[in-house]
Structure formats: C-alpha cells, structure tokens
Amino acid sequence: MKYNNSPEYKLMNAYITSVKKGKISPLVGYDHYKKLHNEINNSLVGLTTTNGIEITGQSDHFIERVIGVIKDPDTGKKRLGVELQDIQDALTNGKAMKPKISRDKNGNILYDEDGKPKISQLFVTDKCAVSINPETGVLIQCNPK
C-alpha cells in the first residue's frame, strides 16, 4: 500500500496515529474513518464560506473532531462529534468571526512548516463552531455547541 497508493497509505497512518493518541476509538474502524474522510471531501471541500473562502481540504485533526471520542486524552471528558450537515451550515450560513493567530495552550504563537504564523477563522451557528485556515481554506477543527 505504501508504494502503490500513497494517499491511502497517508490516510491509514492518520487513522493509526489518531487511535494511538486516543483522539478516536479503535471501534470506529478504518473503513468508517475512510468513508467519513471521503464524505467530508465530497460534501464540504469545494464549498464557499459566508465570506468567500473556498474550502480546499481537511486536517487530520478535523476528522477526529467530526467523529468525537468517549474520553478525550487531553481533558479526560467526553468529546461529542459534529454532524456534517451542521458543519456545512456553519460554513455557508454561520457568522464569520475575525481571523486570529493560532496559539498553543501556553499562549505561544504556532507556526507552519514555512515559518509563518498559523491563522484560523471561526464560523459559528447555534449548533457548532468550525475553524478553517483562511489563507489555505483547510478545515482545522469543529466543536458542537
């Protein structure tokens, strides 16, 4: 798989890493993870947000947040997933918040691989909040309300 189908290999590695970190349950299964990844690509990628940003892709963290987990390894609490229809509504009809520079838990600025500060923008409805990178259009994460 590694040499014959590198996108599939990358996706499987993302799944394995998410399970090992406890960000998703192994009970989700790779087949469901792959199906959901494809549903996100088919239903969200290509959309244009309320302020004109085209969604171009999804981060590995985004799909973890869509799925949710019974016990988040960072907080020890249950993290609910988010329905794709609610995410779509937030992106296309939600309130676009002002873009901001992303920071870690200690307040330090996060940088991308090119050394530029990571930027995010939040889109909010009464059901969920979705953050994207406004420069690249990549979906970063989502949270239910």
Side-chain angles (χ1 to χ4, degrees), residues 1-134:
M1 182 184 308
K2 181 176 181 179
Y3 300 106
N4 297 335
N5 192 350
S6 61
E8 176 93 11
Y9 181 73
K10 182 180 177 194
L11 186 63
M12 182 174 279
N13 275 339
Y15 168 77
I16 291 168
T17 299
S18 293
V19 169
K20 283 182 179 178
K21 289 182 176 180
K23 297 294 186 175
I24 60 172
S25 167
L27 298 175
V28 168
Y30 177 68
D31 288 339
H32 179 69
Y33 182 89
K34 180 179 173 181
K35 179 181 173 199
L36 185 57
H37 181 270
N38 291 335
E39 287 178 17
I40 292 167
N41 281 340
N42 292 332
S43 65
L44 301 178
V45 174
L47 288 179
T48 301
T49 64
T50 55
N51 61 346
I53 300 168
E54 182 180 351
I55 303 301
T56 61
Q58 61 180 300
S59 68
D60 297 338
H61 184 58
F62 182 77
I63 194 169
E64 293 170 351
R65 292 295 184 90
V66 170
I67 295 169
V69 68
I70 297 217
K71 185 176 179 184
D72 186 283
D74 297 328
T75 64
K77 297 179 181 176
K78 183 175 184 175
R79 179 177 290 285
L80 297 174
V82 182
E83 296 292 328
L84 293 185
Q85 184 60 44
D86 293 339
I87 295 167
Q88 183 175 347
D89 186 50
L91 294 169
T92 58
N93 299 309
K95 181 178 180 183
M97 308 305 281
K98 183 179 175 184
K100 65 177 188 172
I101 294 175
S102 300
R103 297 179 181 271
D104 66 14
K105 293 176 186 171
N106 298 319
N108 300 310
I109 295 174
L110 297 173
Y111 296 92
D112 65 17
E113 54 277 352
D114 296 327
K116 292 173 35 183
K118 289 185 176 183
I119 298 175
S120 65
Q121 184 167 21
L122 202 59
F123 294 82
V124 181
T125 65
D126 61 337
K127 292 188 176 180
C128 70
V130 181
S131 64
I132 68 167
N133 180 320

